[in-house]
C-alpha cells in the first residue's frame, strides 16, 4: 500500500471512528440501528457508509452493514499506532505527580524510558535517560 492510500484510509477511519467501532463490536447493523446507536441522521450514516464502502472498509448485504476483513485490519492498525501516543500524552502528568510524591520513587521502574523535564533555564527540557535503579529525589 502506498503512503497516500494509507493516509487516506487513516483519515477516513479517524473521521468515522465511532461508526467503524460500532460495526466492529456488532457482526452487522442496519442503518436504523446505527442511527440509534450513534445519534446521527440516517442520511449522515448512509453518506459515511458510502465513503467507507467505496474504499473497501465496509460491506452491505441485505441492508446490513459490516466491517470487511480489510476494514478490521485498518482499524486495528490505527488503534495499535495510537495507543503508544495516548500513553505518551499521559506521561508528563504522571511524572509531575511522581515528583510531588512524599516517598522516593524507584527509578528502576522506568528502565528503558527517557524522562524529560523542563526548567526555567532549559524550557525545552533536559533529557535524562534511565538505565539502572535509583530514586527520584522528592522536593
Amino acid at each position: 500500500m502506498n503512503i497516500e492510500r494509507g493516509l487516506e484510509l487513516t483519515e477516513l477511519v479517524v473521521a468515522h471512528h465511532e461508526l467503524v467501532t460500532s460495526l466492529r463490536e456488532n457482526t452487522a447493523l442496519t442503518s436504523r440501528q446505527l442511527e440509534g446507536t450513534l445519534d446521527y441522521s440516517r442520511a449522515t450514516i448512509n453518506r459515511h457508509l458510502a465513503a467507507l464502502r467505496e474504499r473497501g472498509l465496509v460491506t452491505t448485504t441485505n441492508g446490513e452493514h459490516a466491517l470487511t476483513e480489510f476494514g478490521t485490519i485498518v482499524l486495528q492498525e490505527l488503534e495499535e499506532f495510537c495507543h503508544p501516543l495516548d500513553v505518551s500524552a499521559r506521561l508528563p502528568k504522571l511524572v509531575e505527580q511522581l515528583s510531588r510524591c512524599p516517598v522516593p520513587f524507584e527509578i528502576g521502574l522506568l528502565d528503558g524510558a527517557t524522562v524529560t523535564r523542563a526548567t526555567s533555564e532549559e524550557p525545552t527540557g533536559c533529557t535524562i535517560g534511565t538505565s539502572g535503579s535509583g530514586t527520584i529525589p522528592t522536593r
Side-chain angles (χ1 to χ4, degrees):
M1 178 182 330
N2 64 31
I3 292 174
E4 292 81 21
R5 173 94 165 124
L7 290 173
E8 175 190 352
L9 291 171
T10 300
E11 289 174 2
L12 189 65
V13 171
V14 167
H16 305 308
H17 191 258
E18 287 181 335
L19 191 148
V20 174
T21 55
S22 290
L23 291 174
R24 179 185 54 195
E25 292 166 2
N26 302 278
T27 45
L29 293 171
T30 65
S31 294
R32 183 179 302 273
Q33 290 169 318
L34 285 166
E35 183 181 0
T37 302
L38 301 175
D39 197 31
Y40 294 159
S41 72
R42 184 145 341 143
T44 299
I45 287 170
N46 288 330
R47 188 173 57 253
H48 294 318
L49 286 167
L52 293 163
R53 251 190 324 271
E54 183 180 307
R55 287 161 185 93
L57 302 172
V58 169
T59 185
T60 302
T61 307
N62 298 325
E64 292 188 325
H65 314 287
L67 273 182
T68 62
E69 185 177 345
F70 180 61
T72 302
I73 291 168
V74 171
L75 177 60
Q76 181 179 345
E77 289 295 318
L78 178 64
E79 289 177 342
E80 286 176 10
F81 174 77
C82 290
H83 180 72
L85 298 176
D86 182 47
V87 171
S88 295
R90 296 175 190 203
L91 283 177
K93 187 172 184 176
L94 171 65
V95 172
E96 178 185 335
Q97 289 174 359
L98 289 174
S99 70
R100 295 180 189 164
C101 190
V103 295
F105 173 77
E106 291 298 320
I107 201 165
L109 296 173
L110 296 175
D111 275 351
T114 301
V115 179
T116 304
R117 183 168 180 199
T119 64
S120 57
E121 297 81 30
E122 185 64 45
T124 59
C126 63
T127 304
I128 305 164
T130 63
S131 58
S133 23
T135 59
I136 296 175
T138 59
R139 294 194 233 181

